[in-house]
Amino acid sequence: MWSAALVGGLLSTAVCERAPAQQASHGATLAYFATSGDRDTLLHRPAPVAGTRTGRPNSSGLIGELAFLPWLNTRFALQYVAYARFNGSHDDYDGFGRSASDNNTLYLLAWLVF
Amino acid sequence: MRTRILATGIALGVLAAGATLQQRSAIAANGVTVNAHTIHREVIPSFSRQTGLACNQCHTTFPQLTAFGRRFKLNGYTLTRLQMVEAGDTANRSLKINLIPPVSAMVQASMSQTRKAQPGAQNGNVELPQEMSIFLGEEITPRVGTFLQFTYSAADASFGFDNADIRYANQGKLGSKELIYGFSLNNNPTVQDLWNTTSAWGFPWASSEVAPTPAAATLIEGGLAQQVAGLGAYAMWDNHVYGEFSVYRSAPQGGPHPPDASAENTLRGVAPYWRAALQHSWGSQYVELGTYGLSTRLYPAGVTGSTDRYTDVALDAQYERKVGKGSITGHTTWINETEKLEASVAAGAATNPSNTLKTFKIDGSYYNAGRVGLTVSYFTTSGDADALRYAGSATGSPNSNGVVGEVDFLPWLNTRFTLQYVAYGKFDGARKAYDGVRNASDNNTLYLLTWLVF
């Protein structure tokens, strides 16, 4: 969650810099991520949700985020994480029937700093 | 001493944006007559530090709120005269935070003596602290304020997240009358309430943590405190009509995250909470009449299968009156809980598929000019007998009642010394041998408290 939030933070900072005295900032962030590596059926084993059927560590997906900062120290975010691949595959990635897209996540956040 | 404070037409948040505190006081002077020494519980010197106002502007005696205190809360804790860090133009601040955050603290030291010791336990229990809290209460934007409490308790021997109430407030007009409206994000149904009739800020302001207490209580009396998160919208129209609607969802401190088969008392979906109240002041008197309630579906264990359904519907009233240099305050509430216990019956934790539980509480206080006060309270809870649900009772009855008498002395506005006595007429269903052996009066409790906030 922290890393995902940080992605949004970096891009929205650019929005803020454009108009420092602006009352509110809005931002849209799009991110793509991919992790891939060697197949290892002992290191990466089947297990519900956290495991992998194929022994591959490959995951990829998109994060879309809308952020609203009504004041400089308040952030409201609506984030969606969509996985194309999760722990090696798109369908039945864990060997227990779970699809990568079952882990797609809607995330609402109110973040206040003071 | 009676102080005239509080604007009728212009809300504090608006005033806070532009006017100096003197200007605000001048504008406020055409308003409502407010008793300058009364009580309330979210008294925290954070707000005193932020506003430059003494505790008695917002509290009769802490934690009871005055009309000004209710208005300060209604306006999202936004009124400040501290040095601020600001950005943006005056009308549209993009940042407005206190240069130095107004942190405050609370320490309670107490002694509890029950009439008879609890079996196998020492009597005359002393706690230092009973509770020690740190508060972050402050304006964090021109329209958002926080009340965040972190509490260490001797019983838990740990420091944890306690009450939280984060508010946004704004002002407008509706039918040419003032409308103050806002949102509250909080973790305890009734912690956002403006009155001292509801559980979070109701009497007793403090009580023993070690003395036995009756087994049965309605859910809205703290049953979900700090275990849920709620978001609600509220509005006060013409300083007379208040309405609020919130929804709560489980947000437990500790335990499995997300809640799973090992979770307890998890809400299914969201639980609606409502509140409506009318208030009126005339001369040196003030009265509030209201209703509030909560409807929940709870999984007693796990997060699947059948649920227990609790519906709490309550009425409440508050009265305040200035008497010479002292004041009289009174609070009462009646709560009717309907319980549909499908899950508990299936789990063998209840006998009846449906039960009702009714609670009635009333308290009255007189405080003199020297802040010496006397409070008397009566409470009663009654409901259907259920041998499995109330297994600690020999009769299976949840019925309890009693009186609380309390003498208080506040030598300064931020220090409270309390001598309290709780006497039970009935405890968990009976006067005599309620658990087979122990009498209700054996749980009568003498409670001494020193309560400092600073």
Side-chain angles (χ1 to χ4, degrees):
Chain A
M1 287 307 169
W2 176 254
S3 59
L6 191 58
V7 169
L10 291 172
L11 295 189
S12 291
T13 302
V15 175
C16 294
E17 283 168 359
R18 191 193 64 210
Q22 189 174 315
Q23 163 69 8
S25 304
H26 304 263
T29 304
L30 198 59
Y32 170 78
F33 60 90
T35 298
S36 60
D38 297 320
R39 184 177 180 207
D40 189 324
T41 53
L42 292 179
L43 189 60
H44 308 298
R45 298 176 190 235
V49 184
T52 161
R53 173 177 51 84
T54 59
R56 292 186 193 280
N58 300 5
S59 297
S60 64
L62 293 172
I63 302 173
E65 183 175 303
L66 296 175
F68 173 48
L69 288 81
W71 296 277
L72 297 173
N73 60 332
T74 57
R75 172 185 288 271
F76 297 91
L78 187 158
Q79 183 188 87
Y80 195 78
V81 182
Y83 291 99
R85 185 171 290 191
F86 196 100
N87 290 2
S89 40
H90 186 273
D91 294 313
D92 188 25
Y93 73 83
D94 62 352
F96 290 82
R98 195 168 175 91
S99 298
S101 62
D102 292 346
N103 292 330
N104 289 3
T105 305
L106 176 70
Y107 176 64
L108 297 172
L109 172 70
W111 190 354
L112 312 175
V113 293
F114 50 94
Chain B
M1 186 180 84
R2 185 176 297 166
T3 307
R4 289 173 64 81
I5 38 177
L6 203 57
T8 47
I10 304 171
L12 295 177
V14 168
L15 294 169
T20 66
L21 200 75
Q22 283 99 338
Q23 286 171 320
R24 276 175 232 141
S25 299
I27 296 165
N30 60 9
V32 180
T33 301
V34 177
N35 174 0
H37 42 101
T38 322
I39 306 183
H40 221 129
R41 187 192 228 138
E42 49 229 295
V43 55
I44 53 170
S46 291
F47 294 139
S48 185
R49 292 193 171 103
Q50 172 175 290
T51 60
L53 299 172
C55 313
N56 61 355
Q57 296 288 356
C58 285
H59 300 276
T60 52
T61 63
F62 75 89
Q64 292 189 76
L65 285 180
T66 61
F68 190 86
R70 286 189 286 271
R71 207 168 167 87
F72 177 68
K73 188 170 181 178
L74 199 58
N75 277 287
Y77 311 122
T78 53
L79 172 68
T80 181
R81 73 167 190 186
L82 286 181
Q83 190 177 348
M84 307 298 283
V85 179
E86 295 175 275
D89 56 47
T90 312
N92 275 328
R93 290 278 180 233
S94 57
L95 182 70
K96 188 175 178 222
I97 54 173
N98 291 308
L99 178 61
I100 298 170
V103 177
S104 57
M106 164 191 112
V107 176
Q108 294 175 324
S110 67
M111 194 284 290
S112 305
Q113 173 89 24
T114 50
R115 188 161 171 269
K116 277 196 180 169
Q118 297 175 65
Q122 191 182 40
N123 210 345
N125 189 267
V126 172
E127 295 191 315
L128 176 61
Q130 177 179 326
E131 286 192 351
M132 151 105 203
S133 293
I134 303 291
F135 298 94
L136 296 174
E138 57 174 311
E139 177 177 329
I140 64 166
T141 86
R143 303 215 178 280
V144 179
T146 63
F147 176 97
L148 298 174
Q149 180 180 13
F150 307 87
T151 298
Y152 173 93
S153 82
D156 299 337
S158 66
F159 201 71
F161 199 59
D162 199 340
N163 289 313
D165 180 25
I166 300 167
R167 306 175 80 96
Y168 166 94
N170 207 338
Q171 303 84 24
K173 291 273 185 192
L174 183 67
S176 81
K177 303 286 190 182
E178 177 198 59
L179 183 75
I180 302 174
Y181 61 93
F183 302 93
S184 167
L185 177 64
N186 65 76
N187 69 348
N188 180 359
T190 73
V191 78
Q192 75 275 37
D193 201 44
L194 302 176
W195 293 276
N196 294 101
T197 53
T198 51
S199 66
W201 307 118
F203 184 83
W205 319 126
S207 57
S208 175
E209 279 188 347
V210 298
T213 51
T218 62
L219 193 65
I220 205 166
E221 293 174 279
L224 298 174
Q226 292 92 45
Q227 299 301 311
V228 291
L231 181 63
Y234 65 87
M236 174 74 85
W237 182 70
D238 194 24
N239 203 30
H240 276 86
V241 183
Y242 179 82
E244 179 193 340
F245 182 79
S246 301
V247 289
Y248 285 89
R249 178 137 171 101
S250 283
Q253 306 297 314
H257 278 235
D260 59 18
S262 66
E264 294 181 346
N265 296 323
T266 305
L267 289 172
R268 174 177 164 178
V270 295
Y273 166 90
W274 65 90
R275 176 77 162 121
L278 298 172
Q279 64 173 6
H280 183 63
S281 55
W282 72 100
S284 58
Q285 300 185 74
Y286 168 88
V287 70
E288 175 266 345
L289 298 172
T291 177
Y292 59 101
L294 183 71
S295 177
T296 65
R297 299 184 76 171
L298 272 180
Y299 296 107
V303 292
T304 56
S306 56
T307 56
D308 290 341
R309 179 165 219 152
Y310 296 84
T311 305
D312 291 7
V313 177
L315 301 174
D316 70 297
Q318 179 163 321
Y319 177 74
E320 297 168 7
R321 178 177 190 154
K322 194 77 188 143
V323 179
K325 291 186 173 179
S327 63
I328 287 174
T329 56
H331 312 95
T332 186
T333 190
W334 172 84
I335 306 167
N336 183 81
E337 179 168 279
T338 308
E339 306 170 348
K340 304 287 184 194
L341 303 170
E342 190 185 340
S344 288
V345 168
T351 312
N352 307 328
S354 62
N355 281 330
T356 58
L357 197 60
K358 291 174 166 54
T359 287
F360 174 73
K361 294 188 283 192
I362 187 165
D363 66 86
S365 298
Y366 171 73
Y367 278 80
N368 72 9
R371 291 183 297 276
V372 175
L374 177 68
T375 303
V376 178
S377 164
Y378 171 76
F379 59 91
T380 177
T381 295
S382 61
D384 298 316
D386 188 318
L388 290 174
R389 189 158 168 76
Y390 307 114
S393 164
T395 59
S397 165
N399 298 4
S400 297
N401 60 49
V403 295
V404 182
E406 182 174 309
V407 178
D408 291 87
F409 174 47
L410 289 82
W412 297 277
L413 295 173
N414 63 330
T415 57
R416 175 186 283 275
F417 297 93
T418 300
L419 188 159
Q420 182 187 84
Y421 196 76
V422 183
Y424 291 99
K426 195 176 275 191
F427 194 99
D428 289 355
R431 168 178 284 274
K432 301 284 184 191
Y434 69 86
D435 64 350
V437 181
R438 197 167 169 90
N439 296 332
S441 62
D442 294 346
N443 293 329
N444 290 0
T445 305
L446 175 71
Y447 175 65
L448 299 172
L449 171 71
T450 298
W451 190 354
L452 312 175
V453 291
F454 50 94

